[in-house]
Amino acid sequence: MSDLFLGLDLSTQQLKATIIGEQLEVVKEEFVHFDNELPEFHTRGGVIIDAEGKGEQRVTAPTLMWVKALDLLLQKLQRIDIPLEKIRAISGSGQQHGSVYWHKGAEAAFETMNPFKPLHEQFDAMLSITQSPVWMDSSTGKQCRKLEKAVGGPEVLASVTGSSAYERFTGPQIAAVYERHPETYENTERISLISSFMASLLLGRYAAIDWADGSGMNLLDIRRKHWDLNCLAACGPDLKRRLQQPCPSWTVLGKISRYFCERYGFTGNCDIVAFTGDNPASFAGMNLCAGDLCVSLGTSDTIFAVVNNPKPALEGHVMCSPVKEDEFMTMVCFKNGSLIREKVLAQCTDGTWPDFEQKLNATECGNNGKMGLYFDQIEIVPRAHGIHRFDSENKPLKKLRPEEEIRALVEFQSLAKRHHIEKLGFRVRPHTRIFVTGGGSKNTTLLQVIANVFQGDVYTQGMTNSAAYGAACRALHALKGGSYSDMIRSSIGFPKTTIAVRHDPKLKNVYDNLLVRYSKLIALVSNPDKKNGL
Ligand SMILES: O=C(CO)[C@@H](O)[C@H](O)CF
């Protein structure tokens, strides 16, 4: 068997593995689901939510759960006879913005890890914080305002780092750790993103943060590709030492550690390639071209596109591309993604997706003017909270019939994506390919609504785990070098892109009108100036 390449994706609810061959063909996918397979950590949807005061939610995940998940996943791969000695390179991705705090002495301790014991049993002294803040957290509004003030305002911060300050971004999160627990910060010798944390486990030493995931920190100058010193100073003392230099996302960081060779049978020749954020990894997995648009339907929903001349704005994000130095991706993220879809599924159907689809199809496109805004969690964009329903005259409604609720949710989620990506300047053109990935992309009724709202045809690659797949492709690309897109185009195993659903041009006016109403309704319920979600 020829060389294999492993992509790992540490997403919110699961750790996923995709193994590919040298032609980018998928050999095997495997998963560890946190809630179901690691119940001792008591997560729900992979996280632990401490609802603070109004508008503040502290959301974390047990760092040790991720360490244990890696062990479980590799054991699963062994049990299905995946020849780990054939894995030539590993890369990966992680939920963006989350942070891991390594205790003083942790890197040295990697040297003494006993391969006869799982890593998580040897992690007692490794972490200065055991509950990692994650992207769903919205408790750092104060730190966001302070950061923006320190650098000259939100516009300046956006022009340098690609985003104005966001509660979930790592810079404000680090500032909150420093302010809330100064002694813990003092005892922290290194701070990783979740992506570089996973790479560190496999290396047995600290891994650099890559440019693409580093773009989600409010700390990286996305054009110069180094930390902005004013941003660092505003978030914590001596922070540069705790982050070290960021690296290109295609960097070969080194070989896999002795621990993983002796415990799992990897060869010492297996390269670890820089890990990146889950959305940049999906971007790589879809191999987006200029003019394409991608919607990822996961725990978070995101919408992103390729940009070459970035124009950062107060809303949304511009991040470094994970595959090309002078390319960027523009993205908007919505916290209310699959979890609210599952909540409405439970409330409005017999609990099955076929019933969800049947009810969605039983209602008129445009829902006879009935609309909903479903900010079940404190939303990122717009900054709003609560569930709000309206009739065709924009008068509040207490409730909708189950089938109307389903359509109102699905149309709301698509209208929000179109409204906010168009605010960043993107327009769907006749040639635009709208790719959809993530768990929700299996549901063609969702895809049909996306196609009709955007008035563009929807394409899929027949895979839902584009982040883990993109990570595996990046592992191979880092060894091959050259153009990433050329590698994709010349590989017979790259999934074929097919049209999943076509849009109905007769519905253009219906959704253009709903889009105008969406814009008016969110102004009624959101507080853009109070940027902590309420
Ligand atoms: O916050 C996000 C992107 O900015 C989310 O998509 C997380 O990456 C999900 F893990």
Side-chain angles (χ1 to χ4, degrees), residues 26-76:
V26 174
V27 171
K28 181 67 189 165
E29 293 183 312
E30 195 49 87
F31 314 88
V32 172
H33 189 274
F34 303 136
D35 294 1
N36 300 340
E37 297 182 68
L38 293 164
E40 65 272 31
F41 292 97
H42 309 295
T43 54
R44 285 189 62 202
V47 298
I48 293 169
I49 296 181
D50 291 324
E52 293 283 304
K54 201 170 164 54
E56 287 225 336
Q57 254 180 356
R58 289 203 192 171
V59 186
T60 61
T63 318
L64 207 59
M65 176 178 76
W66 297 333
V67 177
K68 194 167 182 180
L70 178 59
D71 205 46
L72 269 184
L73 185 67
L74 294 176
Q75 286 175 27
K76 283 189 174 186

Side-chain angles (χ1 to χ4, degrees), residues 116-233:
F116 293 98
K117 291 167 71 179
L119 270 184
H120 73 276
E121 291 178 6
Q122 310 177 63
F123 240 68
D124 290 354
M126 299 293 277
L127 301 168
S128 48
I129 290 183
T130 57
Q131 288 288 111
S132 284
V134 295
W135 66 277
M136 293 171 71
D137 184 278
S138 61
S139 68
T140 63
K142 186 173 70 136
Q143 289 75 19
C144 287
R145 300 299 70 73
K146 189 173 155 236
L147 171 57
E148 287 176 339
K149 189 162 181 281
V151 300
E155 294 82 358
V156 172
L157 184 64
S159 70
V160 171
T161 69
S163 303
S164 60
Y166 280 84
E167 290 80 357
R168 70 191 193 283
F169 274 41
T170 326
Q173 290 289 338
I174 292 169
V177 167
Y178 173 62
E179 287 168 27
R180 294 169 188 163
H181 313 287
E183 72 294 339
T184 299
Y185 184 85
E186 177 51 36
N187 289 329
T188 299
E189 73 177 9
R190 188 65 177 259
I191 300 171
S192 297
L193 291 178
I194 294 168
S195 55
S196 58
F197 155 75
M198 288 295 286
S200 303
L201 294 182
L202 293 162
L203 279 170
R205 58 180 168 77
Y206 297 141
I209 290 171
D210 79 298
W211 291 345
D213 209 12
S215 308
M217 300 172 77
N218 278 148
L219 297 175
L220 184 77
D221 181 322
I222 58 171
R223 290 180 184 80
R224 295 193 179 87
K225 316 295 198 228
H226 60 55
W227 304 120
D228 179 86
L229 298 182
N230 294 330
C231 294
L232 292 183

Side-chain angles (χ1 to χ4, degrees), residues 9-13 94-98 134-136 168-169 194 213 216 277-280 296 298-302 317 319 331-335 380:
D9 176 33
L10 181 53
S11 67
T12 311
Q13 300 190 56
Q95 44 185 303
Q96 291 186 258
H97 321 300
V134 295
W135 66 277
M136 293 171 71
R168 70 191 193 283
F169 274 41
I194 294 168
D213 209 12
D278 54 356
N279 292 291
S296 175
T299 309
S300 70
D301 283 358
T302 58
H317 316 295
M319 304 185 303
M331 182 180 80
V332 184
C333 173
F334 303 90
K335 193 185 294 186
I380 298 163

Side-chain angles (χ1 to χ4, degrees), residues 68 71 105 139 209 255 268 304 327 361 364 395 465 517-518:
K68 194 167 182 180
D71 205 46
S139 68
I209 290 171
K255 301 295 183 185
F304 49 84
E327 187 180 75
N361 286 331
E364 277 294 300
K395 290 194 183 59
N465 301 308
R517 288 182 56 200
Y518 170 85

